[in-house]
Amino acid sequence: MKDSTAVRMDRVTKRFGSVVANDAVSMNIHYGEILSILGENGSGKTTLMNMLAGIYYPDEGDIYVNGRQVTITSPHDAYELGIGMIHQHYKLVDVFTAAENIILGLDSDKITYSLDEVNKKVEEICRQYGFDIDPKAKVYEMSVAQKQTLEIVKILYRGADILILDEPTAVLTPQETEKLFDILRAMRSDGKAIVLITHKLNEVLELSDRVTILRKGKYITTIPTPVATEQILTEAMVGEKVTLDIDRPMPENTVKRLSVKNLTVYSEDGIKALDDVSFDAYGGEILGIAGISGCGQKELLEAIAGLQVTDKNTSIIYYDKDGSEKQLIGVSPREIRNYGVHLSFVPEDRLGMGLVASLGMTENMMLKDYDKGASPFLNKSDSAKLAEDVKKELDIATPSLETPVRRLSGGNVQKVLVGREIAAEPTILMTAYAVRGLDINKSYTIYNLLTEQKMKGVAVIYVGEDLDVLLALADRIMVLCSGHENGILDARTVTKEEVGRRMTNLTEEK
Amino acid sequence: MTLTSLVAWIAAAITFGTVIMYGSVGEILTEKSGNLNLGVPGIMYLGAIGSLAGCFFYENGNPAPNPWISACIAVVCALTAALLGGLLYSFMTVTLRANQNVTGLTLTIFGGGVANFFGGSLVKLSGGVGQISVAAASSAIRTRIPFLSDHFGIVSDLLFSYGFFTYLAVVIALAANYFLTRTRYGLNLRAVGENPATADAAGISVTKYKYLATCTGAMIEGLGGMYFVMDYIKGTWDSGGALEALGWLAVALVIFTSWKPKNAVWGAYLFGFCYWIYLYIPSGISAVLAKFFGAANVTHMQNLYRMIPYLVTIIVLIIVSKKKRKENQNPASLGISYFREER
């Protein structure tokens, strides 16, 4: 019989540049147990587990598997140690059959392979744990849940005893989730060590034996599930409130600018990315949107900007300055923009959306009003003047207006992006992750810009990741939880725990 | 149309098809690794000039050259020259992650330029256009299968009247097919071309597979170039760009086969058949067609016939894309350089 400790991580640290993703984290994983790793976005859950799976290599600290100190430099090493990880993005080849995917990359002395043998072994694994998978089916014919099952079978086929699942239920229906949990329980009774990366409290409480909590890259605590309550977990997860010194004047003369009703959006996989979301936005206030990443924030903003196909019951009414009401559904993104609804979205790679990296500031300013003017030739002087204004006003550090924006620092790139939208004098300004990757001082510049807009009577919708910022910047906070609106709260009075709880747990009264 | 001319047509189609079969099978291997190498014509040129130059210097400096040694020199030089082309392409696109289309097209221009520069010089050295400069190697490579090639009348003419590299092409095509569909390494290679991130996570070295597939593919293409010089034009040099045209046909054939080497066997012969249609189509039919299209004379029709291989490719492309079977599409990550995800 094996010792029950499968993995011991000792003071493991991982840095990406100046960002510390994991700071001296120590934890244990046991056989015959389901361990949840709980934490907010960016708390370092996935990074920590990626070091076990051989995707990343720790900068400091030691990892022991089955009592032996090990060096895991590749996914291959991880397999050899019996560790398998199921990532959020499945690693499968579409045109291969299930069986071909399963044996991919496996060592063997034989040059050829017999799919019959593989199929037999796969069916055996399926029988043992109650999987339902056809080894001869092609991956592109499979549903999301089937692909996930295939990933699990693939790992078991390789003889893994330690399974790590990264947010496995994010793409599953409730029925599929139940089925997955049954399988995980069966594997637990079979003595396997199972790690579940999640931010859903109900899953933690329902399934796991112990829960380890990370916050901002640091290990916080490990609690046996029987003594854990939602309250304890939420508090450990979001931590103490940090007071930020953001100037937040009371909203004045608020006017209704936007009324969203029954907004429903389906993702590519046919799952509801947004489910019946309704809210109003007012000029002169900042509406914060809180939620775990991928809970529909992007779809929400894009739906308003006209970039998403919405369900037929959805209605988005825009109240113009002249008092007229305009339905935004079915209107082209350009027209919506011309109404004064502006979106600045800062994606993970920062430059992917909204700016052309190899163009200078002037040309990037031009991207959004190239259709102005009657002549077929470009009129650069207006854009150059605009760029000059934005540069001066926001104090953007660039050698010249023609310098490609990719050569600017992250903060300056974001100022260009937000500044361009502000310069267009919007009535509704939507921004997502505007301070992504910025240090605290530069972030304040952006916060102040947004507050300035609010005081000018603009309806600002701010999607952010940091709860402390949302609580200090916004006037009202709408919480999204798995595509549902889970409460619209007064940002001045609500507690951080309350927002955190609503982010992770759908309240029943909805 | 007489039986003799039909047999001659088929024979011409097979020799022609062999050149592009080499090019095409090599390119299928390359593309299965996700590398879209548009340098096929260039690499075939490199193989062609490599073999010609190697043999030329051996045979010219030797009063009684041994044909078999000369043939071996031809093969080795062709493989080496083509390998260098493949290495250059791999280094540019895999290691330096240069744009695959640009690199490939540049390689085609480079290979053609180098080959025609030295080819022209060799023609001069050997005394002018049309002079057979490497007779020994060419005759060895065109050796027919004894007995079978002259005892069975029309069967011999149809099936056994070719040099042995004609048959090697078929063997290589079928071997490549077996490799891709039946072996672990073939499976791994296909995974690299379809989804390199998945292959990487499964512990397959994406870089190694891309290099090996591209270089092996280039060497097969190089053999096509050698076959062109030694068998197709019988040991001379052609500076008219015929080989480049064949190289592009090989690339078209890759699409035609839907990336399956076994289809390259009959596909290549079919392309050859279509290519020569302009010489063998009965003049009566041409006259009718000329009238129909309003062409001034029958020779104008010949130019139209030359489009047929390309038309066939376009038709196949349309049919394949209508069917939308994923197995018949190009490898999913074809043309895309692979970066391992970093944060």
Side-chain angles (χ1 to χ4, degrees):
Chain A
M1 193 60 205
K2 291 172 192 163
D3 174 20
S4 88
T5 305
V7 178
R8 188 158 72 82
M9 300 181 91
D10 188 24
R11 302 190 58 75
V12 173
T13 299
K14 177 72 193 172
R15 295 184 198 91
F16 295 105
S18 60
V19 182
V20 183
N22 287 130
D23 188 3
V25 176
S26 302
M27 60 174 294
N28 292 326
I29 301 168
H30 298 298
Y31 288 114
E33 165 186 275
I34 298 176
L35 173 73
S36 292
I37 299 188
L38 185 68
E40 279 190 292
N41 301 324
S43 55
K45 300 167 290 194
T46 305
T47 309
L48 185 68
M49 288 300 110
N50 271 339
M51 285 189 274
L52 278 185
I55 308 283
Y56 297 138
Y57 188 73
D59 295 324
E60 281 162 36
D62 300 318
I63 298 172
Y64 300 84
V65 175
N66 298 331
R68 210 158 41 84
Q69 188 174 353
V70 292
T71 322
I72 307 171
T73 55
S74 70
H76 199 72
D77 289 354
Y79 279 133
E80 305 259 293
L81 292 165
I83 302 173
M85 179 157 169
I86 292 145
H87 299 269
Q88 272 181 292
H89 302 284
Y90 303 139
K91 304 227 181 266
L92 298 169
V93 179
D94 271 354
V95 294
F96 285 10
T97 64
E100 284 174 329
N101 266 292
I102 286 168
I103 58 160
L104 187 64
L106 278 185
D107 285 329
S108 171
D109 353 313
K110 275 191 276 177
I111 291 173
T112 56
Y113 55 90
S114 153
L115 281 180
D116 289 342
E117 272 171 43
V118 181
N119 293 349
K120 225 177 275 167
K121 201 169 156 192
V122 169
E123 275 158 19
E124 205 173 288
I125 294 173
C126 290
R127 247 199 322 277
Q128 191 180 350
Y129 296 107
F131 294 116
D132 176 25
I133 204 158
D134 174 11
K136 291 181 195 107
K138 299 261 174 162
V139 170
Y140 64 79
E141 299 163 345
M142 294 182 179
S143 71
V144 185
Q146 283 174 316
K147 287 182 193 174
Q148 186 178 60
T149 312
L150 174 57
E151 284 277 21
I152 298 175
V153 174
K154 187 165 110 184
I155 283 170
L156 292 175
Y157 188 92
R158 281 149 208 250
D161 294 316
I162 304 162
L163 283 91
I164 305 163
L165 296 98
D166 192 356
E167 314 246 352
T169 59
V171 289
L172 301 184
T173 63
Q175 293 82 357
E176 289 166 340
T177 303
E178 255 333 290
K179 212 168 156 195
L180 173 71
F181 284 1
D182 286 341
I183 286 166
L184 294 182
R185 288 192 191 100
M187 292 199 286
R188 169 175 62 187
S189 13
D190 198 42
K192 301 208 182 288
I194 292 158
V195 181
L196 192 70
I197 302 176
T198 183
H199 52 245
K200 293 183 184 162
L201 291 181
N202 56 337
E203 290 178 3
V204 171
L205 294 169
E206 187 188 336
L207 189 68
S208 63
D209 301 297
R210 288 188 309 145
V211 43
T212 291
I213 295 157
L214 299 183
R215 189 200 316 146
K216 303 214 160 112
K218 290 201 174 72
Y219 170 85
I220 301 301
T221 181
T222 299
I223 309 169
T225 310
V227 303
T229 63
E230 279 186 17
Q231 174 103 32
I232 297 174
L233 294 179
T234 313
E235 272 169 25
M237 198 166 111
V238 297
E240 294 281 303
K241 186 175 171 184
V242 183
T243 315
L244 291 171
D245 190 20
I246 300 174
D247 185 31
R248 176 168 57 178
M250 284 301 286
E252 291 165 8
N253 314 321
T254 54
V255 209
K256 199 178 192 182
R257 280 278 169 248
L258 189 73
S259 174
V260 175
K261 291 231 154 51
N262 313 106
L263 175 57
T264 302
V265 172
Y266 289 91
S267 74
E268 278 173 30
D269 306 321
I271 295 167
K272 279 183 184 172
L274 282 174
D275 192 354
D276 206 17
V277 172
S278 302
F279 67 96
D280 297 327
Y282 296 88
E285 69 153 25
I286 296 182
L287 174 67
I289 309 229
I292 302 289
S293 70
C295 276
Q297 298 96 321
K298 186 175 177 230
E299 287 80 3
L300 179 79
L301 299 191
E302 289 190 348
I304 298 170
L307 302 170
Q308 284 277 353
V309 179
T310 53
D311 198 46
K312 58 178 184 297
N313 292 327
T314 307
S315 141
I316 302 175
I317 304 286
Y318 169 70
Y319 300 93
D320 209 344
K321 276 190 172 153
D322 58 19
S324 62
E325 291 180 18
K326 293 190 169 91
Q327 175 61 262
L328 297 188
I329 301 289
V331 178
S332 78
R334 169 147 295 276
E335 265 175 83
I336 293 178
R337 230 189 106 76
N338 290 341
Y339 290 164
V341 181
H342 285 227
L343 169 62
S344 77
F345 187 94
V346 180
E348 271 159 43
D349 61 358
R350 292 202 203 160
L351 274 171
M353 197 186 220
L355 294 178
V356 178
S358 54
L359 297 182
M361 266 183 76
T362 308
E363 279 129 329
N364 268 301
M365 293 293 154
M366 216 181 244
L367 282 179
K368 295 241 169 158
D369 48 33
Y370 61 88
D371 60 342
K372 287 186 189 147
S375 133
F377 299 102
L378 293 176
N379 178 0
K380 275 201 180 183
S381 57
D382 286 354
S383 303
K385 195 175 160 295
L386 181 62
E388 189 61 50
D389 289 348
V390 171
K391 181 187 164 191
K392 227 180 272 163
E393 204 154 303
L394 305 190
D395 197 20
I396 294 169
T398 172
S400 85
L401 295 178
E402 311 310 322
T403 308
V405 291
R406 81 178 121 83
R407 296 226 201 105
L408 308 187
S409 74
N412 285 310
V413 169
Q414 267 146 283
K415 279 200 251 176
V416 174
L417 186 61
V418 178
R420 181 180 63 189
E421 305 306 328
I422 291 176
E425 295 182 350
T427 47
I428 299 178
L429 177 65
M430 299 184 283
T431 117
Y433 314 115
V435 297
R436 192 171 243 163
L438 298 190
D439 68 32
I440 192 75
N441 288 329
K442 294 206 183 87
S443 303
Y444 273 104
T445 321
I446 303 272
Y447 301 145
N448 291 337
L449 274 173
L450 295 176
T451 304
E452 221 172 85
Q453 289 300 304
K454 158 180 137 182
M455 295 320 287
K456 279 188 188 164
V458 176
V460 179
I461 301 177
Y462 176 87
V463 173
E465 285 177 318
D466 192 328
L467 277 188
D468 290 317
V469 172
L470 276 171
L471 287 168
L473 177 71
D475 299 299
R476 288 186 305 143
I477 294 179
M478 176 168 79
V479 184
L480 286 178
C481 178
S482 315
H484 294 266
E485 179 254 295
N486 202 20
I488 298 178
L489 315 159
D490 182 349
R492 285 184 176 75
T493 54
V494 74
T495 61
K496 193 175 175 186
E497 286 72 29
E498 176 66 14
V499 178
R501 194 181 60 75
R502 283 174 185 263
M503 277 164 62
T504 48
N505 222 333
L506 211 53
T507 42
E508 289 304 324
E509 80 250 36
K510 285 301 300 179
Chain B
M1 177 182 241
T2 62
L3 186 63
T4 334
S5 74
L6 182 66
V7 169
W9 186 0
I10 291 173
I14 287 178
T15 347
F16 180 94
T18 303
V19 181
I20 58 174
M21 200 193 299
Y22 277 115
S24 186
V25 170
E27 180 66 4
I28 290 173
L29 274 184
T30 307
E31 292 196 8
K32 279 291 181 185
S33 77
N35 276 356
L36 176 63
N37 186 358
L38 293 179
V40 179
I43 287 173
M44 290 174 83
Y45 259 125
L46 288 178
I49 193 64
S51 63
L52 187 73
C55 295
F56 181 81
F57 288 118
Y58 169 70
E59 291 186 20
N60 240 27
N62 203 325
N66 180 328
W68 291 104
I69 291 178
S70 194
C72 285
I73 290 175
V75 172
V76 170
C77 289
L79 290 178
T80 313
L83 173 65
L84 290 175
L87 272 176
L88 180 66
Y89 178 87
S90 308
F91 179 70
M92 294 288 290
T93 61
V94 180
T95 306
L96 301 181
R97 299 195 184 103
N99 181 296
Q100 296 190 6
N101 296 339
V102 175
T103 309
L105 290 173
T106 312
L107 190 57
T108 286
I109 298 165
F110 169 80
V114 166
N116 281 322
F117 176 76
F118 288 107
S121 311
L122 289 179
V123 167
K124 275 224 171 99
L125 282 175
S126 62
V129 180
Q131 295 290 324
I132 296 180
S133 42
V134 288
S138 175
S139 67
I141 282 168
R142 280 185 290 134
T143 305
R144 297 174 176 193
I145 302 170
F147 188 73
L148 284 178
S149 58
D150 47 14
H151 280 71
F152 299 98
I154 195 163
V155 177
S156 288
D157 289 343
L158 263 183
L159 299 180
F160 301 110
S161 62
Y162 316 101
F164 59 93
F165 269 90
T166 312
Y167 307 102
L168 184 69
V170 179
V171 172
I172 290 178
L174 296 179
N177 204 73
Y178 182 83
F179 170 79
L180 284 173
T181 55
R182 290 274 181 276
T183 68
R184 282 177 187 276
Y185 303 115
L187 184 75
N188 293 354
L189 176 62
R190 282 189 287 143
V192 168
E194 290 290 340
N195 191 337
T198 295
D200 199 12
I204 299 165
S205 168
V206 173
T207 307
K208 193 171 90 185
Y209 270 88
K210 276 182 177 262
Y211 260 89
L212 279 176
T214 307
C215 290
T216 312
M219 279 159 50
I220 296 172
E221 289 157 19
L223 282 182
M226 186 221 68
Y227 181 88
F228 176 80
V229 162
M230 295 298 166
D231 194 320
Y232 192 75
I233 58 171
K234 303 184 175 58
T236 56
W237 183 250
D238 167 88
S239 43
L243 186 53
E244 181 170 348
L246 285 168
W248 290 124
L249 264 179
V251 176
L253 184 62
V254 172
I255 302 163
F256 180 89
T257 64
S258 57
W259 290 267
K260 293 181 181 67
K262 63 176 180 198
N263 293 346
V265 178
W266 61 267
Y269 297 150
L270 178 70
F271 270 39
F273 203 71
C274 295
Y275 184 85
W276 288 120
I277 212 168
Y278 75 97
L279 279 186
Y280 293 95
I281 206 157
S283 50
I285 296 176
S286 278
V288 173
L289 284 175
K291 207 170 219 173
F292 179 75
F293 284 108
N297 60 46
V298 175
T299 46
H300 287 175
M301 284 312 296
Q302 294 194 345
N303 291 325
L304 286 178
Y305 297 151
R306 287 176 194 236
M307 300 192 318
I308 290 175
Y310 303 96
L311 282 178
V312 170
T313 306
I314 292 171
I315 292 165
V316 167
L317 264 180
I318 292 170
I319 294 171
V320 167
S321 61
K322 278 262 182 260
K323 274 189 172 171
K324 285 194 177 133
R325 267 178 60 95
K326 285 215 175 191
E327 287 84 351
N328 292 338
Q329 304 293 332
N330 55 295
S333 82
L334 184 63
I336 304 164
S337 300
Y338 174 62
F339 295 82
R340 185 180 276 195
E341 262 173 75
E342 299 280 357
R343 257 176 77 164

